[in-house]
Amino acid sequence: MNPHESDVHTISPELPAMFDGMKLAAVATVLYIIVRCLNLKSPTAPPDLTYQDTALNRFLLKSCPQLTKEYIPPLLWGKSGHLQTALYGKLGRVSSPHPSGVRKYLPMQDGATATFDLFEPVGDHRTGDDITMVICPGIGNHSEKHYIRTFVDHAQRDGYRCAVLNHLGALPNIELTSPRMFTYGCTWEFASMVGYIKRMYPQTQLIVVGFSLGGNIVCKFLGENRTNQERVLCCVSVCQGYSALRAQETFLQWDQFRRFYNFLMADNMKKIILSHRKFHGHSSLKEYYEKESCVHYIHNVQVPLLLVNSADDPLVHDSLLTIPRTLAAKKSNVIFSLTLHGGHLGFFEGAVLFPQPLTWMDKVIVGYANAMCQWEKQKPPCQSAHLSESSCTKEKA
């Protein structure tokens, strides 16, 4: 026997097949993870609606097709609430416009200085009326955020004047003039902005819009005092959590990576606070959450109210959605719209990969507002949506 033969190793014919099997298994595992993470097998569907069958609600749903038609997010990533939320947070919007506005400064009684940006309409409103959207952005946001700019530009082109609150302390180049900054539910700055609009434009009617934390503020503002609802045609709230006390408990959980999102939001708030070192005073965290949540006020809102949430919003736990669902089932002026996808303030639309500049959220707010304005225009005064039956009775008498 050749002495070198013992050094020759032969490869078993089964090994290449085994390696091929391992490769296929690895590819299959990666594909499975991608499908699961991107939620690719999830169907698309129209929003799930909760509302009472009234003439106004039937008109609104017929006139605002976004509420009844299928919402179709981008195929490859749009069914992931995490990616929708991440893209909203980092990218904001695609090809974000730069609407031209004027910054207003409003001195408050406690020494604070509220600011908001005012954007005049690009053209006439379809009804010929003077309509102003008073807008409250999300946590730590302001008029310069991409999603706000995109929405304002869209609303301007439909004939709306837009007033956008800059949360107290959120703008990096605006110094605080009192020992406080914005909080989860303080309505003082928003009320000051609305009061200014009412004084400067005595003929205008208002559409109230709130995004995320801003949704909590506007609903609380309207519910705090009936006079706050005067000259308000309707209100739209998108992606709010309704109860800070209940939400605080869910943010400590790891499902949907909610605890991670809580860390990111807390870190952002920490940066804002440290840049000013001024904040509201509360005796306890529970008291803060209780007093700041719109859940204790929203039932007082009598004007038409559209509440929008997404089922895959990683920041708003499913248990919180019983609040708007129950409210819409009990009150005829409320419509609750729950989309299957959209994340937190994402709601991107598109075919496969690239999203469209305008989101479903932008379209549904303006579409609902247009429908509400049209309803008010074509109805006799006593049948206006924001008047009670007793008002009509008195007029007829």
Side-chain angles (χ1 to χ4, degrees), residues 6-34:
S6 59
D7 296 330
V8 178
H9 300 280
T10 59
I11 299 176
S12 172
E14 289 83 7
L15 287 179
M18 183 179 71
F19 288 140
D20 288 340
M22 292 175 63
K23 291 178 183 177
L24 288 174
V27 170
T29 301
V30 171
L31 289 176
Y32 173 77
I33 293 173
I34 291 175

Side-chain angles (χ1 to χ4, degrees), residues 71-74 77 84 87-88 92-93 346-350 355-356 359:
Y71 162 53
I72 304 177
W77 54 267
Q84 287 255 18
L87 285 177
Y88 140 74
R93 291 294 182 255
F347 297 105
F348 292 97
E349 287 186 305
Q356 300 170 7
T359 68

Side-chain angles (χ1 to χ4, degrees), residues 114-145:
T115 70
F116 72 93
D117 285 23
L118 186 63
F119 304 86
E120 292 296 333
V122 173
D124 293 334
H125 192 269
R126 62 187 63 198
T127 63
D129 294 332
D130 187 299
I131 313 290
T132 303
M133 286 192 174
V134 283
I135 302 165
C136 193
I139 185 170
N141 290 173
H142 43 73
S143 62
E144 297 174 9
K145 291 293 183 179

Side-chain angles (χ1 to χ4, degrees), residues 188-207:
W188 300 347
E189 295 84 50
F190 187 75
S192 181
M193 180 180 76
V194 171
Y196 176 92
I197 295 298
K198 286 182 175 181
R199 291 191 304 272
M200 295 301 296
Y201 305 94
Q203 301 303 317
T204 197
Q205 293 176 298
L206 305 179
I207 306 286

Side-chain angles (χ1 to χ4, degrees), residues 110 112 139-140 167-170 176-186 188-189 213 217 244 265-289 292:
D110 66 344
I139 185 170
H167 284 300
L168 205 61
L176 292 178
T177 58
S178 75
R180 69 177 180 89
M181 56 175 285
F182 80 94
T183 64
Y184 178 73
C186 181
W188 300 347
E189 295 84 50
L213 169 141
I217 289 177
M265 289 191 298
D267 186 61
N268 184 50
M269 281 296 297
K270 179 181 176 181
K271 292 176 182 176
I272 295 175
I273 293 171
L274 290 178
S275 67
H276 300 288
R277 295 185 180 276
K278 299 173 182 179
F279 206 66
H280 266 284
H282 291 276
S283 61
S284 69
L285 188 62
K286 183 177 181 180
E287 180 195 58
Y288 167 73
Y289 286 144
E292 302 274 298

Side-chain angles (χ1 to χ4, degrees), residues 188-240:
W188 300 347
E189 295 84 50
F190 187 75
S192 181
M193 180 180 76
V194 171
Y196 176 92
I197 295 298
K198 286 182 175 181
R199 291 191 304 272
M200 295 301 296
Y201 305 94
Q203 301 303 317
T204 197
Q205 293 176 298
L206 305 179
I207 306 286
V208 179
V209 180
F211 298 101
S212 190
L213 169 141
N216 178 76
I217 289 177
V218 301
C219 288
K220 182 171 176 281
F221 165 76
L222 292 175
E224 284 176 336
N225 194 316
R226 184 62 187 268
T227 59
N228 291 346
Q229 301 178 47
E230 293 176 356
R231 292 167 57 185
V232 173
L233 290 179
C234 63
C235 174
V236 183
S237 162
V238 184
C239 288
Q240 70 150 307

Side-chain angles (χ1 to χ4, degrees), residues 49 51 56-65 67-68 335:
L49 300 175
Y51 64 97
L56 173 58
N57 286 341
R58 289 194 299 270
F59 177 84
L60 291 173
L61 295 179
K62 180 181 178 181
S63 304
C64 182
L67 287 172
T68 55
I335 296 178

